[in-house]
Amino acid sequence: MDRKKITPVDIQAMKKEGKKITMLTAYDYPMALLEDRAGIDIILVGDSLGMTVLGYENTLPVTMDEMIHHTKAVTRGAKYALIIGDMPFMSYNTSERDAIINAGRFMKEAGADAVKLEGGITVKDIVKALVKAGIPVMGHIGLTPQTISMLGGFKVQGKDAEGAQKIIDDAVQLEDAGAFSVLLEAVPAPIAKRITERLNVPTIGIGAGVHCDGQVLVVHDMLGLFDRFTPKFAKRYVNLSELMLNAFESYREEVSKGTFPTDQHSFHIDEKELSKIK
Ligand code: KIV
């Protein structure tokens, strides 16, 4: 396959050409390598890593240092995909200056190509400031896990006219602020369709129906590696937990019984050499 590194401009061109955009999260080198090899367009180093790989209760405790550490591993693994660093809670909400410094860290220290942040009208000035500083931004509206307590829990957003109108307005404001793309999480499909038709920039959906310009899934959900919380939209393509558990149990059994390692997994030394040793 003739491939080149994907940029935010390429992602925007895909909408114009009617090509669906594929996006997955990744938090480490091997996952990024495989997603890149599979031809995924965008890799998001999501703050979901707080729950999926660090074992936190939610995404709020995730720090910039943790995000940078994982983003570095991902950028070492993926050559072609556009890599987006997800700005953790309180890394951008405090001031435009903090937002620029932290987004700058994703690009300078970790090699990310863009950042994502949660919020609509409330973060418009922050998005503008980042774009002005030369940092491509993906917006994230609808269900925004960093403000989950304000939303009353993990539930679909925009179910009534007022709520839906707010999401549409947020999307328009993000585009006006210069976001190169907008992620829609847990939004009724007809509302996501309207937003997708209204915006010039691409929409990426998760639990937002088939009409979005692209789709994203949390990789641990689609691989069956995280079952503490499984949203309706998280399609499981394989149950890796079961396969891994079987492998761990087989290994434990074989070591206990002394059937591993076999000759095939051991190194040998010439008998003559062996006989010389006292
Ligand atoms: O952190 C994350 O994984 C996300 C999802 C919506 C993709 O933001």
Side-chain angles (χ1 to χ4, degrees), residues 5 27-28 35 37 40 57 69 71 77 96 112 129 135 142 153 184 197 208 228 236 240-241 252-253 274 278:
K5 171 80 184 169
Y27 318 109
D28 58 25
E35 290 179 13
R37 206 174 278 172
I40 297 299
E57 202 53 46
H69 174 77
T71 306
E96 287 171 27
I135 298 172
L184 306 172
E197 287 165 356
R228 220 173 67 204
R236 183 177 281 189
L240 278 194
S241 289
R252 183 182 49 73
E253 253 177 61
L274 197 57
K278 286 186 209 128

Side-chain angles (χ1 to χ4, degrees), residues 26 51 69 76 87 107 138 141 181 185 240 242 256 270:
M51 296 168 79
H69 174 77
R76 285 191 284 264
M87 300 206 56
M107 303 190 66
M138 175 180 279
I141 52 175
S181 173
E185 178 167 358
L240 278 194
E242 201 175 291
S256 312
D270 202 88

Side-chain angles (χ1 to χ4, degrees), residues 13-130:
M14 287 177 78
K15 173 168 182 140
K16 303 238 153 47
E17 293 158 12
K19 287 188 193 153
K20 289 280 188 185
I21 301 157
T22 55
M23 172 162 155
L24 278 176
T25 65
Y27 318 109
D28 58 25
Y29 173 82
M31 208 70 94
L33 195 78
L34 289 175
E35 290 179 13
D36 207 40
R37 206 174 278 172
I40 297 299
D41 301 306
I42 306 178
I43 297 181
L44 170 71
V45 188
D47 66 349
S48 51
L49 70 80
M51 296 168 79
T52 55
V53 300
L54 299 179
Y56 295 140
E57 202 53 46
N58 53 46
T59 57
L60 302 197
V62 176
T63 65
M64 266 311 292
D65 285 345
E66 285 165 339
M67 291 304 300
I68 295 289
H69 174 77
H70 286 273
T71 306
K72 279 182 175 173
V74 168
T75 55
R76 285 191 284 264
K79 279 200 196 71
Y80 304 108
L82 179 84
I83 297 172
I84 302 184
D86 203 6
M87 300 206 56
F89 184 55
M90 288 299 147
S91 67
Y92 56 97
N93 336 54
T94 42
S95 69
E96 287 171 27
R97 184 182 146 79
D98 285 351
I100 293 172
I101 290 172
N102 287 319
R105 285 191 67 194
F106 268 116
M107 303 190 66
K108 281 169 71 100
E109 288 178 43
D113 306 304
V115 298
K116 172 172 90 57
L117 52 80
E118 296 183 9
I121 293 168
T122 51
V123 294
K124 183 172 183 179
D125 290 339
I126 288 168
V127 173
K128 265 190 189 163
L130 290 173

Side-chain angles (χ1 to χ4, degrees), residues 174-185:
L174 285 170
E175 177 170 75
D176 282 354
F180 77 91
S181 173
V182 177
L183 188 151
L184 306 172
E185 178 167 358

